[in-house]
Amino acid sequence: MKKLFLILAAATLMTACGNKENNHPNTDNQTQDSTSLTINSEDQALHNAISDYLVKEVGTHYLQGELCIPELTIVATDKQESEQTKVWGDFWVFWYNQVGDTLKCVSGGNHAGLMTLTKDGDHYKVTSFEQTVDGAGNVASAKRIFGDYFDIYQNIHSCDSVRETAHKEQLHDYVKQNNLNAKYFQDYGWPAVALDK
């Protein structure tokens, strides 16, 4: 059974990026306000498994700081009868050090692509990850990996306001969930930004 998830920020901010129409057949009813957007326990289990994979398998390849914070922008999921689930997304990993009340970025990067997960009880485990390639072959690999979802991915990936909103909201949630006393974040070469929503 196929189910499409668009992150709220992507759904609401695409127009701001000059993309006034979305021709994907399954997205007509996906623009909804934040009060009606919820994540069920099954989706949360998927998010947890992907986050864990990004921290343990991807984050270790970066210059490390105190906190490794994954960010997920889910483009689509395909839950199959074989207990496998495919998740297409624009995934990021960031390392931060906390200096006073500010999270200061040490390193980070983008890892868009397709993750395949298998279910084990109430949990999921990432069994494979096909990433888009860097450089000249990036668009071609993204078209192949994302297929019918390429336009949605491209709208999310290429829109600064969508990425910045998702970045700030997920950092805010991480700080809250981990009881950190950080009030700001600062990415390299940029001024500090308040974490409040």
Side-chain angles (χ1 to χ4, degrees):
M1 153 174 120
K2 252 180 202 185
K3 194 172 180 184
L4 181 69
F5 294 98
L6 288 179
I7 192 166
L8 178 64
T12 57
L13 292 174
M14 280 182 191
T15 303
C17 295
N19 206 344
K20 297 189 185 283
E21 62 180 73
N22 183 356
N23 294 322
H24 196 283
N26 295 328
T27 60
D28 293 341
N29 297 321
Q30 294 298 319
T31 53
Q32 47 189 318
D33 62 51
S34 58
T35 58
S36 63
L37 186 68
T38 59
I39 296 178
N40 63 37
S41 59
E42 187 86 0
D43 297 332
Q44 189 61 58
L46 286 168
H47 289 204
N48 291 344
I50 293 169
S51 295
D52 189 59
Y53 180 88
L54 290 170
V55 170
K56 293 179 179 176
E57 302 296 331
V58 178
T60 55
H61 298 287
Y62 285 92
L63 177 64
Q64 297 180 23
E66 298 169 350
L67 305 166
C68 185
I69 305 177
E71 294 181 14
L72 287 61
T73 306
I74 306 300
V75 173
T77 64
D78 182 1
K79 297 181 181 178
Q80 302 174 335
E81 293 179 6
S82 62
E83 296 297 313
Q84 276 196 338
T85 300
K86 295 183 180 295
V87 180
W88 292 263
D90 196 23
F91 308 114
W92 292 78
V93 174
F94 293 97
W95 279 97
Y96 284 92
N97 286 334
Q98 185 169 349
V99 181
D101 62 359
T102 303
L103 297 179
K104 293 186 177 265
C105 189
V106 174
S107 64
N110 179 240
H111 297 270
L114 168 62
M115 290 202 187
T116 302
L117 301 93
T118 55
K119 194 168 186 182
D120 181 14
D122 294 332
H123 303 282
Y124 283 90
K125 180 179 180 180
V126 175
T127 54
S128 67
F129 182 27
E130 185 178 10
Q131 297 186 55
T132 57
V133 301
D134 293 328
N138 179 264
V139 173
S141 68
K143 285 182 176 178
R144 177 179 55 78
I145 292 168
F146 284 90
D148 291 341
Y149 305 119
F150 174 75
D151 288 343
I152 300 168
Y153 159 73
Q154 189 69 2
N155 286 335
I156 292 168
H157 183 73
S158 64
C159 185
D160 290 342
S161 59
V162 169
R163 288 198 325 272
E164 289 166 9
T165 298
H167 184 50
K168 180 179 176 181
E169 287 183 352
Q170 292 188 47
L171 280 176
H172 174 275
D173 292 344
Y174 182 91
V175 165
K176 185 175 179 181
Q177 289 164 9
N178 290 278
N179 297 313
L180 302 178
N181 62 354
K183 296 180 180 177
Y184 304 91
F185 71 94
Q186 186 171 17
D187 292 331
Y188 186 77
W190 293 90
V193 176
L195 278 166
D196 58 342
K197 288 190 177 181

